[in-house]
């Protein structure tokens, strides 16, 4: 059996705690609210959840065990995943292995963060030693400058232009229209994208996600457990993760997806052509371009042409970021890494609220996180299938 394959592990009960642009409440509030939602959706008593996997940037000074105590849970398995936008895929993989091995029966995977006024600025100031050493000394704070360098490198290397990225942003905003959870639902045009103010050239305002507060969550369990409880669910076919991939590349132009895609699709028993919907991790458009290429939908450097040639809407020939992605929903810290999983789970269980992809059976979700200064350090992907 491939190391990427899973046996009879399912996801159920997608929960999204409504996003708020700013909040004075702590991450514990959003995570606790997500747990309450999981229990309600699953018809579960708290004692029946015997595993917890949590992700948060703003949980400090609490820890995983402190959170477990605060939530009133007793668990046989506990993990915390400090990997930002890769946290959702990694949490799913590790929870699935715990369920497979019998270390836990029902694992709650939850990511949540708060966003106080000024909080994002403070969080980026202490994000990592790499950012403190290599970004702040040159007068650049936060991720915009780092992703501007990656975007500029991609444009120079492959001849991409601003319109290429703009088409993706326009399409994602259109997908957000029917999504009641998206903070940004007003359509935008390519002209409006191009006219949006520069943030860190070549990155524009409409290239950037909007930080916010909120949470995303889902349950992981065996298929038999979900069926016995009558819970709508989808199957985990395969998932991979890779960290610090291609470290010798001068500036990131590929991620660990390129190294693992053959393993991923072989274990899932599908090909890229068999994917019905794709949720890319979309903190900046260039990263979605890398995922399109590295996961085999097009050759390196051809993502712009691929986006221009396809309809990315829920009724199009390549549904992508079907709820609008983070660019329109908002980025609730580590919950951004869970957003593609909860959206795909809704799509594959018929709960996509007016934005369903017709006949969707196979969904691909990718994750990406922990920017240093010239690259993101963690990535992963998962293939999910309708029951």
């Amino acid at each position: 059996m491939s190391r990427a394959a899973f046996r009879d592990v399912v996801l159920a009960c997608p929960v999204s705690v409504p996003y708020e642009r700013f909040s004075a409440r702590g991450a514990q509030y959003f995570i606790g609210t997500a747990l309450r939602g999981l229990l309600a959706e699953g018809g579960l008593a708290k004692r029946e959840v015997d595993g917890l996997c949590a992700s948060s940037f703003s949980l400090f000074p609490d820890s995983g065990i402190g959170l477990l105590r605060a939530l009133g849970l007793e668990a046989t398995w506990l993990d915390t995943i400090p990997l930002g936008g890769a946290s959702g895929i990694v949490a799913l993989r590790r929870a699935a292995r715990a369920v497979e091995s019998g270390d836990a029966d029902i694992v709650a995977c939850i990511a949540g963060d708060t966003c106080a006024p000024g909080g994002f600025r403070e969080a980026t100031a202490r994000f990592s030693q790499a950012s403190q050493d290599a970004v702040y000394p040159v007068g650049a704070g936060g991720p915009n400058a780092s992703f501007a360098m990656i975007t500029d490198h991609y444009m120079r290397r492959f001849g991409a232009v601003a319109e290429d990225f703009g088409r993706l942003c326009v399409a994602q905003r259109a997908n957000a229209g029917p999504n009641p959870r998206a903070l940004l639902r007003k359509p935008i045009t390519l002209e409006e994208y191009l006219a949006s103010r520069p943030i860190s050239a070549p990155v524009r305002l409409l290239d950037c996600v909007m930080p916010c507060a909120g949470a995303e969550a889902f349950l992981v369990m065996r298929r038999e457990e979900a069926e016995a409880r009558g819970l709508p669910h989808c199957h985990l076919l395969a998932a991979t993760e890779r960290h610090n991939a291609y470290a010798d590349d001068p500036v990131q132009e590929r991620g660990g997806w390129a190294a693992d895609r053959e393993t991923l699709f072989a274990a899932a028993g599908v090909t890229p052509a068999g994917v019905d919907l794709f949720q890319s991790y979309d903190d900046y458009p260039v990263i979605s371009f890398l995922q399109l290429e590295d996961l085999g939908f097009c050759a390196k450097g051809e993502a712009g042409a691929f986006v221009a040639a396809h309809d990315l809407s829920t009724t199009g020939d390549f549904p992508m970021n079907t709820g609008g992605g983070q660019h329109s929903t908002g980025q609730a810290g580590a919950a951004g890494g869970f957003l593609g999983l909860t959206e795909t789970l809704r799509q594959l269980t018929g709960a996509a609220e007016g934005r369903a992809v017709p006949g969707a059976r196979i969904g691909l979700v990718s994750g990406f996180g922990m920017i240093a200064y010239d690259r993101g350090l963690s990535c992963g992907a998962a293939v999910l299938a309708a029951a």
Side-chain angles (χ1 to χ4, degrees), residues 30-369:
F30 291 98
I31 293 173
T33 302
L35 176 62
R36 184 184 299 119
L38 290 175
L39 298 177
E41 287 288 321
L44 297 167
K46 193 181 291 188
R47 65 179 182 277
E48 294 180 282
V49 176
D50 56 356
L52 174 67
C53 192
S55 299
S56 179
F57 285 116
S58 52
L59 191 60
F60 184 84
D62 229 339
S63 61
I65 188 61
L67 180 64
L68 193 80
R69 174 188 173 277
L71 296 174
L73 291 171
E74 180 179 342
T76 59
W77 184 87
L78 171 67
D79 201 359
T80 53
I81 309 292
L83 297 175
S87 294
I89 300 296
V90 176
L92 172 59
R93 278 173 47 84
R94 297 181 187 177
R97 293 303 186 202
V99 167
E100 274 191 334
S101 69
D103 287 345
D105 291 322
I106 300 176
V107 178
C109 293
I110 309 175
D113 272 294
T114 191
C115 187
F120 183 75
R121 184 184 303 110
E122 295 172 6
T124 56
R126 59 178 186 270
F127 183 73
S128 70
Q129 192 64 52
S131 64
Q132 292 179 28
D133 290 346
V135 180
Y136 279 82
V138 296
N144 289 327
S146 293
F147 284 101
M149 178 167 66
I150 295 172
T151 302
D152 180 72
H153 173 77
Y154 185 92
M155 295 173 78
R156 293 173 184 271
R157 176 83 166 82
F158 300 112
V161 295
E163 287 83 352
D164 295 328
F165 302 122
R167 291 186 188 96
L168 178 61
C169 294
V170 170
Q172 291 194 189
R173 182 63 65 83
N175 283 347
N179 182 4
R181 297 178 182 84
L183 291 179
L184 302 173
R185 299 170 64 186
K186 180 182 176 181
I188 58 173
T189 65
L190 184 58
E191 291 72 25
E192 288 171 327
Y193 166 85
L194 294 172
S196 64
R197 65 184 176 89
I199 299 297
S200 181
V203 168
R204 292 168 162 78
L205 177 63
L206 291 178
D207 289 312
C208 304
V209 293
M210 185 172 71
C212 60
E216 301 286 336
F218 54 89
L219 296 175
V220 177
M221 63 188 75
R222 287 183 292 276
R223 174 180 55 81
E224 294 85 352
E225 185 85 45
E227 291 177 346
R229 294 176 178 274
L231 298 177
H233 58 276
C234 70
H235 295 272
L236 172 60
L237 299 184
T240 59
E241 66 181 90
R242 188 173 290 264
H243 310 283
N244 200 32
Y246 305 114
D248 292 335
D249 288 356
V251 179
Q252 185 166 37
E253 60 186 53
R254 54 183 171 168
W257 313 284
D260 291 327
R261 71 172 179 243
E262 292 184 8
T263 298
L264 176 72
F265 286 117
V270 301
T271 66
V275 170
D276 297 314
L277 57 95
F278 174 43
Q279 316 291 349
S280 74
Y281 185 82
D282 63 322
D283 49 358
Y284 293 81
V286 70
I287 301 304
S288 289
F289 275 31
L290 299 191
Q291 291 161 79
L292 284 168
E293 295 162 357
D294 293 350
L295 286 163
F297 295 107
C298 59
K300 181 55 63 179
E302 294 183 1
F306 181 89
V307 168
H310 289 81
D311 181 349
L312 309 186
S313 71
T314 55
T315 57
D317 61 337
F318 191 79
M320 180 174 173
N321 291 337
T322 52
Q326 294 178 90
H327 265 92
S328 298
T329 304
Q331 185 184 67
F338 282 55
L339 183 63
L341 289 166
T342 54
E343 171 66 17
T344 300
L345 179 50
R346 290 187 175 102
Q347 287 285 349
L348 297 180
T349 56
E353 302 177 16
R355 61 184 189 280
V357 175
R361 301 292 301 172
I362 301 293
L364 174 66
V365 186
S366 53
F368 172 84

